[in-house]
Amino acid sequence: MTEINASPNMNSSGYEMPPEMRQNIAITTLDKIWNMGRRYSVWPMMFGLACCAIEMICTAASRYDLARFGMEVMRPSPRQSDLMIVSGTVTKKMIPQIVRLYNQMPEPKYVLAMGACASGGGPFKEGYNVVSGVDKYIPVDVYVPGCPPTPQALLHGLMKLQEKIDSESITSVRWYQKEAIEAIPVPILGPDIIDPRDFPTIKSLTQGKPAAAEPAAETA
Ligand code: SF4
């Protein structure tokens, strides 16, 4: 850093610049501009599952002012959402809908697990009707502990998400790669919940050999 600033005509990025221009020109990276635009316009999906949702609603009220982060525009459609805040108990009846909504969100998309229930089942863990964490089905970017987390805790989680966005590069993010991003198979609700990704394991356990072909799973 000492070497970079050795010349008085260099700015902090290490580029030569005439003194009269130094107040007028800012040099930065494409990643920084791109991430700044995204970190201040994360639109959460407007849905809640249980008691944690009340705290999420409080966070959106005037006292906590989500607009400071550009996140006050809660969208009623997954097609317009960047962030899924899973706020509440994830039941087996609800998880197929959550996965379907996640699949319908366009990239880039993020998931924040709000509270003990969404993060790992909470007080209902191992209950007959409850999923032990939404991350068993969709990828979670930020976990916010608590039962329920306070609005301040949720805001802290949202700032952590902003830090994660800051660390991404336009050259390596998954949604700009050549490979298609596969949708997550929607779980099937019967007497219990079944994840289609578990079909090979289920077959090998019940039939004693790996399955040859799997039934096509619903993805949207
Ligand atoms: S973590 Fe606590 S407050 Fe949040 S949904 Fe579960 S039981 Fe309710």
Side-chain angles (χ1 to χ4, degrees):
M1 205 61 188
T2 318
E3 274 181 27
I4 284 175
N5 289 324
S7 163
N9 289 341
M10 281 186 182
N11 74 350
S12 59
S13 303
Y15 290 94
E16 283 279 354
M17 198 177 285
E20 67 273 17
M21 302 287 283
R22 296 188 68 180
Q23 299 301 316
N24 304 318
I25 295 179
I27 295 178
T28 185
T29 61
L30 188 57
D31 278 341
K32 215 161 190 174
I33 296 274
W34 181 67
N35 287 338
M36 187 178 73
R38 295 191 314 118
R39 85 195 304 275
Y40 290 120
S41 59
V42 176
W43 290 359
M45 186 156 51
M46 188 161 54
F47 92 118
L49 295 176
C51 5
C52 277
I54 305 300
E55 299 295 321
M56 184 184 70
I57 293 165
C58 291
T59 313
S62 56
R63 183 183 176 98
Y64 298 101
D65 191 13
L66 261 184
R68 288 177 291 163
F69 304 93
M71 297 180 184
E72 81 281 14
V73 191
M74 290 215 178
R75 305 309 299 166
S77 163
R79 311 278 187 199
Q80 302 164 349
S81 304
D82 307 296
L83 170 65
M84 173 185 269
I85 300 176
V86 185
S87 54
T89 317
V90 182
T91 60
K92 290 177 181 175
K93 193 171 182 181
M94 198 63 194
I95 191 65
Q97 280 61 256
I98 292 175
V99 173
R100 188 173 285 116
L101 288 170
Y102 178 81
N103 285 339
Q104 289 174 351
M105 290 168 67
E107 295 276 4
K109 56 187 171 186
Y110 303 94
V111 176
L112 184 148
M114 181 182 179
C117 285
S119 301
F124 312 109
K125 187 175 170 66
E126 309 299 344
Y128 73 97
N129 63 334
V130 170
V131 169
S132 296
V134 74
D135 58 359
K136 300 267 189 301
Y137 296 88
I138 57 176
V140 172
D141 297 284
V142 178
Y143 297 86
V144 178
C147 179
T150 58
Q152 292 91 334
L154 178 57
L155 288 177
H156 183 72
L158 293 173
M159 286 190 275
K160 285 289 164 196
L161 177 65
Q162 287 185 320
E163 285 175 22
K164 177 167 184 171
I165 290 172
D166 285 341
S167 70
E168 290 176 333
S169 169
I170 202 167
T171 56
S172 58
V173 286
R174 63 181 185 277
W175 51 92
Y176 288 144
Q177 305 305 310
K178 287 205 173 98
E179 302 79 39
I181 300 173
E182 295 294 327
I184 295 175
V186 177
I188 300 159
L189 181 64
D192 203 345
I193 196 78
I194 298 174
D195 188 337
R197 293 171 295 189
D198 291 338
F199 281 154
T201 312
I202 293 170
K203 283 202 172 173
S204 67
L205 287 174
T206 55
Q207 300 176 2
K209 55 183 180 183
E214 306 309 324
E218 185 190 2
T219 54

